[in-house]
Amino acid sequence: MNKILAFLAAAALLTSCSPYALVNSETYNDADLASYKTFRIITPDEGKLPPGMEMVTYYNIAAAIREQMVERGYTEDAASPLLINLALSVEKGLQTEPLYQNYYPYYGPYPYPTYYPFFMYPRQYYWPEPNPNAQVITGVYREGVLTMDMVNIDKKLPLYSASVATILNGNGESRFRNLKGIAEAVQTLFSRFPVPLLPQYRK
């Protein structure tokens, strides 16, 4: 029993020291994500990279997301209705605002960078009509929060959203973490994803 308690305490300590924290994880519209068999990830030619993100970082994030999806039994397909959209917030301060408030049809947070993460594909193109009771996380305590939306893009139907902090080094230089760090951050991003890993990938 003492060994078990010691193990749990050590695990809690390691978790508390992790540089990655799941900010949110939510399924929308009673979506059955397991019913989808394919996926595709937003590409820079379909949108715009968030400020400060270079192509190599985008490719590293996309590769980590691709690995998580494949290990859950999905197949990447350019014609898939399941679109994975990406956003990055580089501002501080957690605020909650109604959908569409001060939100115009452009790619990113400008001219309100304090309130909105920068989505590669404009988020308002697939959110439902404005709902006065609908709230979204529109800012973050720390810079470097990566947000992932999953959308049935054919139906403009939001399916799932999750955010992880922080994929930046946190050393005041706002540099992205290395490939290993990004992979670990994305693993945290998928930590509460409703479709589990296939048996052969479970540890």
Side-chain angles (χ1 to χ4, degrees), residues 70-96:
V70 169
E71 289 183 356
R72 285 168 168 79
Y74 295 90
T75 301
E76 190 168 17
D77 183 349
S80 175
L82 179 57
L83 174 69
I84 299 178
N85 191 21
L86 302 176
L88 178 70
S89 177
V90 293
E91 296 295 330
K92 300 177 187 292
L94 180 65
Q95 300 192 32
T96 306

Side-chain angles (χ1 to χ4, degrees), residues 129-144:
E129 291 298 318
N131 181 335
N133 296 320
Q135 301 286 313
V136 293
I137 293 179
T138 54
V140 294
Y141 282 119
R142 289 175 284 178
E143 62 183 356

Side-chain angles (χ1 to χ4, degrees), residues 78-185:
S80 175
L82 179 57
L83 174 69
I84 299 178
N85 191 21
L86 302 176
L88 178 70
S89 177
V90 293
E91 296 295 330
K92 300 177 187 292
L94 180 65
Q95 300 192 32
T96 306
E97 300 287 348
L99 288 173
Y100 288 86
Q101 180 170 333
N102 293 332
Y103 208 60
Y104 301 103
Y106 47 58
Y107 288 90
Y110 303 113
Y112 302 103
T114 302
Y115 298 106
Y116 299 106
F118 191 110
F119 281 87
M120 290 182 62
Y121 182 79
R123 198 182 205 188
Q124 73 275 12
Y125 287 174
Y126 53 78
W127 278 107
E129 291 298 318
N131 181 335
N133 296 320
Q135 301 286 313
V136 293
I137 293 179
T138 54
V140 294
Y141 282 119
R142 289 175 284 178
E143 62 183 356
V145 168
L146 174 68
T147 297
M148 171 184 71
D149 279 356
M150 293 189 181
V151 189
N152 183 322
I153 199 62
D154 293 346
K155 298 181 179 179
K156 308 294 184 184
L157 184 69
L159 305 173
Y160 177 78
S161 184
S163 301
V164 64
T166 170
I167 63 168
L168 297 182
N169 275 320
N171 57 7
E173 299 178 5
S174 295
R175 292 186 302 181
F176 285 92
R177 295 183 184 275
N178 58 23
L179 182 60
K180 180 176 181 292
I182 287 175
E184 291 176 359

